[in-house]
Amino acid sequence: QVQLVESGGGLVQAGGSLRLSCAASGIFRINSMGWYRQAPGKERELVAVITRAGNPNYADSVKGRFTISRDSAKNTVFLQMTNLQPEDTAHYYCNANLDWRSYWGQGTQVTVSS
């Protein structure tokens, strides 16, 4: 069974930090992995992506604050989030990309209070 399971979300105050984790199972030969987020009333947007080789790319809004990392051998991707702001509040989704399809997790909620 193919599954991507996110964890690490929660409620934090502005300026706080969270570390999200995503473990993929039942998936082979994953290329890139990444994180997307969707806030209420907003479209889903890219947060960060990391290649199989470990090269990251970030949305401008999170550069300098978030760090994506990956353990390819374990099919796991992480998102270290620092200096969180209320505008970061969203449901965060893990993504795994293969050559011909993508998989998505159910997501984890991140809520940042002022």
Side-chain angles (χ1 to χ4, degrees):
Q1 183 179 358
V2 175
Q3 283 190 315
L4 277 70
V5 180
E6 301 96 336
S7 62
L11 174 64
V12 298
Q13 297 182 18
S17 300
L18 287 172
R19 183 174 182 265
L20 306 183
S21 300
C22 173
S25 61
I27 310 174
F28 305 98
R29 290 182 289 277
I30 296 173
N31 293 321
S32 64
M33 299 186 74
W35 292 93
Y36 291 72
R37 67 187 181 186
Q38 187 169 23
K42 304 294 183 180
E43 297 294 323
R44 184 178 62 183
E45 65 175 355
L46 171 71
V47 177
V49 175
I50 187 167
T51 69
R52 185 175 178 86
N55 302 123
N57 288 285
Y58 300 94
D60 289 340
S61 60
V62 306
K63 287 181 179 177
R65 298 190 297 120
F66 292 6
T67 301
I68 189 170
S69 60
R70 175 178 179 175
D71 185 340
S72 294
K74 298 180 179 179
N75 284 345
T76 303
V77 65
F78 307 93
L79 187 67
Q80 180 66 50
M81 311 164 69
T82 63
N83 193 23
L84 284 161
Q85 301 298 312
E87 51 265 40
D88 296 314
T89 295
H91 206 68
Y92 284 70
Y93 296 92
C94 177
N95 165 255
N97 295 296
L98 282 69
D99 284 345
W100 301 109
R101 68 173 297 175
S102 298
Y103 295 93
W104 296 88
Q106 290 298 115
T108 184
Q109 180 67 34
V110 172
T111 302
V112 185
S113 62
S114 301

